[in-house]
Amino acid sequence: MRPRLVVLSGPLKDSTIPLPEGEITIGREASNGIAVTDPSVSRKHCRLSCQSGRFQVQDLDSRHGTLVNGTGVEEQWLRHGDEIAAGDSSFLFLEEEELAPIASHVEFEDAQGTAETTVIYPKDVVYLQPDRLSRELPATSRVARNLNALLKISRIVHAIRDLDELQGQLLDLIFEVVPAGRGAILLADHEGQQFNSTFARVRRAGQSHLVKVSRTVARRVLEQGIALLGSDVSNCGELGKIESLAASQVRSLLCVPLTVFQKVIGCIYLDSDSLSGRLDEENLHLVTAIAGISAMALENARRLAWLEQENERLTVEISQERSLVGESPKMKEVYQFVKRAAPAESTVLIEGESGTGKELAARALHRNSLRANKPFVAINCAAIPESLLETDLFGHERGAFTGAIGLKKGRLEVADGGVVFLDEIGELAPALQVKLLRALQEHEFERVGGTHTIKVDIRVIAATNRDLDQAVREGNFRQDLYYRLAVLKVTMPALRERRDDIPMLARHFVQKHAKHCKVKPRPISREAVSCLVNYDWPGNVRELENAIEHALVLGASEMILPEDLPEALLERTAPAEVTEAKYHAAVKELKKQLILDAVEQTQGSYADAAKILGVHPNYLHRLIRNLELKEALNEVLRELPARGLRGLSSGNA
C-alpha cells in the first residue's frame, strides 16, 4: 500500500491522504496539496518530500512549529507510525500494510457452572476506597498517603462539571499532601500563546489572596512541556535571578504541565516560602501524576463552560428579533409584570398603540412560562376575514361547507398544551366572541360542522390597540369576554413615553438590519440621535425600526446622519443643546414660511392653504404640528382684518 497520512484531528479528521512520490505541502492556503482551514496552521506550514523511497518532513518557518511525536523539528526523516502535528491538526504517517482486525462475535452459553465464584460489589473494591487502602499499608508510609490522595483526586475530579469548583477542589486536595503555601492552575488559550484562565488558592486563611506566579517559569513549562522543581530558589542560579520570586520570598517551587493528547493546555504551579516545608522531588512526581489524572477533567470542564456560553450566545442571537429592548422606568414595569405573570396560567390582556411591541411581550410571557417548550400560535383577528376566522380558530369537519373536502384542525387545537396569542382581539365579530368565551371557560369547543367536543389545554394571551372598556360601554365588545381576558392586564408604553430607550433601540435595529440588508453596521451621529429622540413616533417602535432600515440602505457616509432619515423626522425643531445642520435648518424655515404665507393668503382657510401648497389637508395639519407653527399661525390670524376671517371649520386646525 502507498505511504499515506491518516488525519487524527483537525478539520480533515478521519480522512486518509495518499502521499505522492515527489513532495506535498501542508498549510492554510488553498494552493497547498493538503489545505487545512484552521487558523492555528500557517499559510505554508510544512513540506513532506520523498527521497530514495523515504519521506522527510520539513518545517517552513511556521508560526507554531511542526511537531513529530510531540517534539518540535525543523526537518526529520519519518518512520511508520510517526505522528505529525501542525497547529491543531495531527497526521499519522503510515507506510506499511496495516493488519485488519479479525471480526468476532459473541455467543452466550447456558451451561451451569459449578466452580466457586467470587462476587464483589464496586463499593467493596479496595482501590476505590482511599481510606481503606491507607489502612492496608503501613501508617507511616508516604506511598500510602500519596496513593490515597491520587485515588481521592481521581474519584472527585471526574464528578465535578463546574470549572471553578473543580480547580478549587483540586488545589485543596494537593495542599493535603504537598507542603505548598500557594497554588495556581493556569490554562492556556486555543493557540497556546497566553494564559486566558487562571485560578489561585492559598493554604492559610490569613494569607494574602494574591498569588504571584513567575511568568518565566510558567511559559517555559507551557512551551517545552516539562516539569520544573526549584527546591532552593535563592541558591539556584537560573531561578534566583527572577525578580518576582525574590520579591515574594519564594523558597521553593514546582510547576508541572497539564497535557491532553500530547498538547500542553496549561500547568499547575505551587510554591512555598517556608524553610521547613520545602518542595522536593517526591512532591514533583506526585503533582505530575495528579496533573496527568486531572488534565482531561479540566479540559472537559473548560469546554463545557465554553459550550454553555456559546449556547447562551446563540440563543440570544436567535431570539434577538423577538426580544423586548429598553431600560426606561416604564419598560422595567413591563419586565416586572412579565416576571410575575409568566409562571401563572391566567389569561393576559396586553393593551397599547400599534407598533409598541405587544406580540414581543406575549412571546416573552411564553418564553418564561412553564409552557415554553410548547407551541406559541399567533392569530391576527383583524387580518383574517370574518367568514374564515371561525374555521381558522376552531377548524372544520369534512363537508361542513362547500370546499371543505377534508378535516382541518383549528389554531386552538394545534396550540394544545401551549399558548394562543389573539392579536387585535377588539376586532373579533360578536358571534365569534360568544364561541371564544365558551372555549376559554370550558377549555372545549366543536369544529365547524362537527358535533364532537374537543378538549384543549391552552393559555390565552390577547392584545388590542383599542380601548376595550369603551367598546364594552358602547356595546361593541362582550363584557363577560372582556373580564375573562383581562384577568391580568398590562399596557405597553408608546415610544414617545420612553424616549430614553430610543438610542438603545436604534442601535439594536442597526445591528439587526445591517445583517439583513447586507450592509456594514454604522454608528449613529449625535445629530441623528437628536432627531430620533425629538420625534413623536406615531407608529412607535415599528416606525423607528423602518426609519433605521431606511437610513442603513440609503445612507452613503460612514455614520448615519440626519439626511439619511425619513423626511418626517427632520420637521421637528431640534433641542437647544444640539446645533442643527444649516441645510436642514434652512429647509425647515422655508417650509414654515410657505405655510404661513399660504394660510395668510387664504384668510385662515387651512383647506384652501393645502390646495395652494399642493398637499393633503391632513399632511398640512401634521406639518403644522411637527414644525410647532400653531402659535405663529394664531398670530397671523389675529393680524388679519376681522372682516376677512373665515370661521374655523372642520378643515381648520
Side-chain angles (χ1 to χ4, degrees):
M1 181 175 288
R2 289 177 57 187
R4 60 207 178 278
L5 293 179
V6 176
V7 187
L8 302 178
S9 63
L12 303 178
K13 183 180 178 182
D14 296 332
S15 60
T16 300
I17 304 168
L19 294 176
E21 294 183 357
E23 63 179 37
I24 189 170
T25 57
I26 299 175
R28 199 168 71 245
E29 286 185 348
S31 59
N32 290 282
I34 303 176
V36 183
T37 55
D38 182 345
S40 66
V41 176
S42 299
R43 297 180 184 277
K44 292 282 188 181
H45 200 102
C46 61
R47 177 190 297 115
L48 275 72
S49 56
C50 180
Q51 301 176 25
S52 303
R54 296 182 63 194
F55 274 86
Q56 183 185 58
V57 62
Q58 181 182 6
D59 183 67
L60 300 177
D61 295 326
S62 62
R63 183 175 48 173
H64 300 307
T66 301
L67 282 67
V68 175
N69 300 326
T71 303
V73 300
E74 291 187 4
E75 60 180 28
Q76 181 169 315
W77 292 103
L78 296 175
R79 295 177 299 177
H80 177 76
D82 282 347
E83 184 178 332
I84 306 166
D88 291 332
S89 295
S90 58
F91 308 84
L92 183 65
F93 174 72
L94 299 176
E95 58 181 351
E96 298 175 7
E97 187 70 31
E98 294 290 309
L99 294 176
I102 301 174
S104 303
H105 66 279
V106 175
E107 182 178 308
F108 292 98
E109 269 191 337
D110 295 325
Q112 298 293 324
T114 57
E116 183 177 348
T117 303
T118 300
V119 177
I120 189 169
Y121 293 94
K123 63 183 180 62
D124 297 325
V125 176
V126 65
Y127 292 107
L128 295 180
Q129 300 180 68
D131 295 334
R132 180 179 169 188
L133 180 62
S134 63
R135 292 195 300 270
E136 299 289 334
L137 292 167
T140 58
S141 171
R142 191 170 178 180
V143 174
R145 187 192 64 178
N146 291 348
L147 283 174
N148 181 50
L150 289 172
L151 283 170
K152 186 184 292 186
I153 288 171
S154 67
R155 293 180 62 190
I156 289 176
V157 297
H158 294 289
I160 301 175
R161 298 174 61 186
D162 181 73
L163 181 59
D164 286 344
E165 182 185 355
L166 174 58
Q167 294 178 118
Q169 287 268 22
L170 186 56
L171 288 175
D172 288 343
L173 292 169
I174 290 175
F175 287 151
E176 291 181 9
V177 290
V178 177
R182 297 177 291 264
I185 297 176
L186 315 172
L187 298 178
D189 59 14
H190 184 69
E191 302 288 337
Q193 295 296 304
Q194 58 185 356
F195 297 107
N196 65 348
S197 172
T198 59
F199 188 93
R201 269 278 207 273
V202 294
R203 179 186 290 274
R204 294 185 297 274
Q207 287 180 274
S208 169
H209 290 281
L210 178 63
V211 177
K212 293 186 177 181
V213 176
S214 168
R215 188 183 299 275
T216 304
V217 172
R219 288 292 308 173
R220 184 178 174 189
V221 171
L222 180 66
E223 293 172 357
Q224 299 181 16
I226 57 174
L228 288 179
L229 169 67
S231 56
D232 188 359
V233 171
S234 59
N235 294 322
C236 177
E238 186 178 355
L239 296 178
K241 297 176 182 178
I242 300 176
E243 295 181 2
S244 60
L245 296 179
S248 301
Q249 297 182 333
V250 174
R251 305 285 185 179
S252 58
L253 66 81
L254 65 81
C255 188
V256 301
L258 292 162
T259 306
V260 175
F261 297 133
Q262 300 182 350
K263 178 180 179 181
V264 181
I265 65 165
C267 60
I268 298 176
Y269 178 95
L270 302 171
D271 68 29
S272 173
D273 57 6
S274 170
L275 287 171
S276 58
R278 287 185 184 276
L279 302 175
D280 57 24
E281 189 172 343
E282 188 167 345
N283 298 140
L284 181 67
H285 283 283
L286 176 60
V287 178
T288 303
I290 292 172
I293 290 173
S294 56
M296 181 57 78
L298 288 166
E299 179 68 1
N300 288 340
R302 181 167 65 162
R303 286 183 179 273
L304 180 62
W306 179 84
L307 287 171
E308 289 175 346
Q309 292 173 359
E310 185 69 4
N311 181 60
E312 183 177 345
R313 184 189 68 80
L314 292 173
T315 300
V316 170
E317 185 176 320
I318 290 170
S319 62
Q320 187 178 27
E321 296 186 6
R322 298 175 290 162
S323 299
L324 293 167
V325 176
E327 295 180 353
S328 63
K330 286 186 176 291
M331 285 306 296
K332 288 180 179 178
E333 290 176 9
V334 173
Y335 299 148
Q336 191 66 23
F337 173 86
V338 170
K339 181 179 178 181
R340 293 183 177 181
E345 290 294 307
S346 309
T347 55
V348 180
L349 178 63
I350 305 173
E351 297 181 321
E353 299 177 8
S354 293
T356 51
K358 297 186 289 295
E359 183 171 348
L360 296 181
R363 290 187 180 274
L365 285 166
H366 174 242
R367 284 198 304 272
N368 292 279
S369 73
L370 300 177
R371 299 173 181 260
N373 294 325
K374 300 295 182 179
F376 179 91
V377 178
I379 306 166
N380 191 320
C381 300
I384 304 173
E386 181 182 343
S387 58
L388 300 178
L389 184 57
E390 183 176 10
T391 61
D392 197 57
L393 281 171
F394 304 105
H396 62 72
E397 298 286 350
R398 179 181 180 183
F401 50 84
T402 303
I405 58 175
L407 180 147
K408 177 191 173 184
K409 290 185 177 181
R411 300 281 190 96
L412 300 185
E413 193 174 350
V414 170
D416 188 27
V419 170
V420 173
F421 174 58
L422 300 173
D423 199 8
E424 305 297 352
I425 189 69
E427 308 301 322
L428 198 63
L432 289 180
Q433 292 180 27
V434 176
K435 196 167 182 179
L436 178 62
L437 176 62
R438 179 175 180 272
L440 294 180
Q441 289 177 334
E442 307 298 333
H443 291 281
E444 60 182 35
F445 59 89
E446 292 90 29
R447 298 192 189 103
V448 175
T451 56
H452 175 65
T453 299
I454 299 169
K455 291 188 175 292
V456 289
D457 172 24
I458 56 173
R459 183 185 188 183
V460 172
I461 301 175
T464 182
N465 62 1
R466 294 180 57 187
D467 184 348
L468 287 190
D469 276 328
Q470 182 67 26
V472 168
R473 288 193 294 269
E474 294 173 354
N476 295 325
F477 199 84
R478 290 184 63 93
Q479 187 178 49
D480 47 4
L481 177 58
Y482 172 71
Y483 290 138
R484 191 71 187 83
L485 292 171
V487 176
L488 303 175
K489 187 165 69 169
V490 65
T491 300
M492 296 299 295
L495 189 53
R496 60 183 172 277
E497 297 172 358
R498 55 182 187 115
R499 295 183 187 272
D500 291 347
D501 290 335
I502 290 175
M504 181 188 298
L505 281 163
R507 290 191 294 270
H508 168 77
F509 291 134
V510 165
Q511 295 298 323
K512 173 183 174 181
H513 287 291
K515 185 184 297 184
H516 172 69
C517 299
K518 295 180 175 57
V519 296
K520 182 181 177 182
R522 299 201 298 273
I524 307 174
S525 70
R526 182 168 172 265
E527 294 78 13
V529 170
S530 175
C531 291
L532 296 174
V533 172
N534 200 45
Y535 184 58
D536 279 340
W537 300 107
N540 291 295
V541 179
R542 187 181 294 118
E543 185 182 3
L544 172 61
E545 182 173 3
N546 293 340
I548 295 299
E549 185 175 1
H550 175 280
L552 278 172
V553 174
L554 299 183
S557 61
E558 292 298 316
M559 299 183 72
I560 293 178
L561 302 174
E563 53 262 35
D564 300 328
L565 299 171
E567 187 178 352
L569 275 67
L570 307 178
E571 294 167 355
R572 293 300 304 268
T573 303
E577 66 272 13
V578 175
T579 304
E580 193 170 16
K582 291 182 179 180
Y583 168 76
H584 299 297
V587 170
K588 195 179 297 181
E589 289 302 318
L590 178 59
K591 287 183 179 180
K592 288 181 180 180
Q593 194 58 50
L594 287 172
I595 293 170
L596 291 172
D597 291 345
V599 172
E600 183 177 8
Q601 183 179 342
T602 59
Q603 297 289 300
S605 171
Y606 285 50
D608 291 344
K611 289 181 181 178
I612 291 176
L613 295 170
V615 299
H616 194 279
N618 290 343
Y619 181 62
L620 177 59
H621 284 296
R622 197 192 80 181
L623 284 172
I624 292 170
R625 182 174 63 252
N626 288 346
L627 295 171
E628 298 178 354
L629 279 174
K630 190 67 177 176
E631 288 298 323
L633 286 171
N634 288 338
E635 185 66 28
V636 169
L637 295 177
R638 281 195 293 269
E639 292 177 358
L640 290 174
R643 64 179 179 277
L645 280 176
R646 299 182 182 179
L648 294 179
S649 62
S650 58
N652 295 351

